[in-house]
């Protein structure tokens, strides 16, 4: 996209030349375009849960309802409000990351203890899946932002749970080498169709197959994961067999230190 500035140069009313300045504004234009797409997607995504909150509130206010009905409607309002809050948090995260305003507070952190905490938290929330965990490194220290790295594994593990049947097996394995930590989050759930894989980490992308249409989500979880992993100079990949299960693999640079636990959470500066 080119913006052209044109000036006619005159001397004593006589046209002596024309000045043309071409300015490439492709990047500016693309950013504006992305912003407007983002705003319209956000509005669209917020409208659906908001409409059901409004609809059910109106029913509760205007109709004589049996107590069981009332409870059912209130439960829907509660669930949709929770979904709205989750959506807004995801939007804010993605916006912050995209605008480059995401500050990572990097310290020496041990990925094995972070992953273990995330598993414990998930097990408190849902005990319907069997989660196994193995660590093959004596320490898995990286330079990273504890909260953000936690977010990565919360998103990956909650997807593994969400897209697996109740009672499904999920395994997390930490391994690697002298200079890298690799983490696999593996499930035996719905799997991902091959043609969906290239789009998986795009914002708002959701696989629209009948097997998962009823499972809620924003399509932002994996985009957030990818941004955080990139912000730590790491890598993420996925391998999956449709109908059998998926494995999400993250790679981070391992910090080799003589001491281990003592260095955890120590400032990197
Ligand atoms: P959301 O879960 O909110 O839809 P994500 O960005 O986390 O968004 O995931 C994008 C899509 O990738 C999901 O809609 C889902 O279909 C697919 N997906 C992600 N993780 C898994 C998984 N472990 N198993 C099967 N499908 C998955």
């Amino acid at each position: 996209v080119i913006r052209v500035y044109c000036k006619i140069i005159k001397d004593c009313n006589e046209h002596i030349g024309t000045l043309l300045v071409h300015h490439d504004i492709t990047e500016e234009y693309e950013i504006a375009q992305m912003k407007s797409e983002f705003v319209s997607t956000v509005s669209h995504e917020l409208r659906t849960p908001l409409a059901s909150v409004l609809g059910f509130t109106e029913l509760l206010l205007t109709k004589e309802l049996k107590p069981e009905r009332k409870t059912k409607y209130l439960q829907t309002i509660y669930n949709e409000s929770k979904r709205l809050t989750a959506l807004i948090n995801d939007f804010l995260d993605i916006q912050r990351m995209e605008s480059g305003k995401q500050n990572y507070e990097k310290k020496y952190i041990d990925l094995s203890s972070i992953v273990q905490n995330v598993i414990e938290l998930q097990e408190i929330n849902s005990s319907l899946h069997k989660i196994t965990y193995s660590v093959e490194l004596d320490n898995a220290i990286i330079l990273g932002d504890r909260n953000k790295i936690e977010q990565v594994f919360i998103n990956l593990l909650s997807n593994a749970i969400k897209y697996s049947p109740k009672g499904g097996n999920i395994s997390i394995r930490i391994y690697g080498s002298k200079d890298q930590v690799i983490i696999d989050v593996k499930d035996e759930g719905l799997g991902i169709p091959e043609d969906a894989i290239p789009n998986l980490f795009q914002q708002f992308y959701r696989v629209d197959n009948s097997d998962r249409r009823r499972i809620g989500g924003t399509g932002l979880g994996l985009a957030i994961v990818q941004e955080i992993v990139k912000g730590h100079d790491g890598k993420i990949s996925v391998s999956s067999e449709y109908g059998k299960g998926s494995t999400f693999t993250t790679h981070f640079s391992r910090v080799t230190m003589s001491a281990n636990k003592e260095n955890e959470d120590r400032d990197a500066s």
Side-chain angles (χ1 to χ4, degrees):
V1 182
I2 308 284
R3 182 190 285 144
V4 182
Y5 169 81
C6 172
K7 186 171 170 60
I8 311 275
I9 303 164
K10 287 182 176 174
D11 188 18
C12 299
N13 249 351
E14 198 181 316
H15 181 198
I16 56 163
T18 310
L19 177 72
L20 280 180
V21 179
H22 294 252
H23 189 195
D24 184 354
I25 56 159
T26 314
E27 204 176 321
E28 244 172 81
Y29 177 80
E30 278 174 358
I31 291 172
Q33 197 80 356
M34 263 167 56
K35 267 194 188 147
S36 93
E37 258 170 47
F38 184 79
V39 170
S40 74
T41 318
V42 170
S43 331
H44 175 81
E45 295 285 328
L46 294 181
R47 209 172 282 142
T48 322
L50 208 51
S52 67
V53 169
L54 280 175
F56 284 107
T57 317
E58 207 173 304
L59 280 176
L60 284 165
L61 288 173
T62 55
K63 292 247 186 299
E64 282 292 321
L65 297 165
K66 287 191 182 140
E68 320 82 81
R69 283 259 132 211
K70 271 193 191 165
T71 313
K72 199 171 163 234
Y73 291 172
L74 281 169
Q75 189 63 50
T76 310
I77 293 173
Y78 176 73
N79 291 344
E80 291 297 275
S81 307
K82 263 180 55 177
R83 199 162 98 80
L84 271 171
T85 312
L87 267 167
I88 291 167
N89 286 339
D90 279 0
F91 291 148
L92 289 177
D93 272 353
I94 221 78
Q95 183 75 338
R96 220 175 288 134
M97 285 168 189
E98 285 207 324
S99 60
K101 286 194 190 119
Q102 183 63 61
N103 286 328
Y104 292 109
E105 279 184 43
K106 291 185 183 168
K107 292 180 177 180
Y108 297 115
I109 51 173
D110 192 343
L111 280 182
S112 55
S113 74
I114 292 183
V115 169
Q116 230 168 333
N117 285 345
V118 171
I119 296 174
E120 277 163 22
L121 214 105
Q122 291 290 350
E123 280 174 336
I124 294 168
N125 290 334
S126 143
S127 53
L128 299 170
H129 293 79
K130 193 168 165 281
I131 306 174
T132 52
Y133 167 72
S134 71
V135 194
E136 292 161 28
L137 297 170
D138 55 355
N139 69 65
I141 296 175
I142 66 155
L143 199 51
D145 184 314
R146 177 174 280 276
N147 291 332
K148 296 292 162 201
I149 293 291
E150 222 166 58
Q151 186 70 54
V152 166
F153 294 102
I154 290 175
N155 290 10
L156 292 179
L157 187 56
S158 60
N159 274 352
I161 292 174
K162 209 159 78 167
Y163 298 106
S164 294
K166 285 179 189 141
N169 289 319
I170 292 165
S171 60
I172 300 188
R173 177 177 168 224
I174 301 187
Y175 57 106
S177 61
K178 193 165 101 5
D179 39 36
Q180 68 173 336
V181 182
I182 309 172
I183 303 182
D184 284 349
V185 179
K186 181 171 185 282
D187 65 62
E188 296 169 8
L190 300 178
I192 300 157
E194 210 180 321
D195 60 346
I197 302 245
N199 305 316
L200 220 56
F201 295 94
Q202 266 175 35
Q203 292 174 24
F204 303 109
Y205 180 80
R206 305 202 69 214
V207 179
D208 187 29
N209 286 22
S210 55
D211 60 356
R212 65 197 76 201
R213 223 160 267 155
R214 294 172 63 86
I215 303 173
T218 60
L220 286 174
L222 288 178
I224 291 173
V225 164
Q226 193 182 44
E227 280 294 326
I228 298 174
V229 171
K230 270 198 208 155
H232 284 78
D233 302 316
K235 267 192 329 194
I236 178 148
S237 59
V238 54
S239 73
S240 183
E241 204 177 327
Y242 191 43
K244 292 236 165 106
S246 316
T247 304
F248 285 82
T249 304
T250 44
H251 295 244
F252 294 98
S253 291
R254 185 172 178 204
V255 179
T256 344
M257 296 174 117
S258 44
N260 44 42
K261 289 278 178 200
E262 281 165 33
N263 290 311
E264 216 181 304
D265 264 342
R266 207 181 61 186
D267 229 315
S269 56

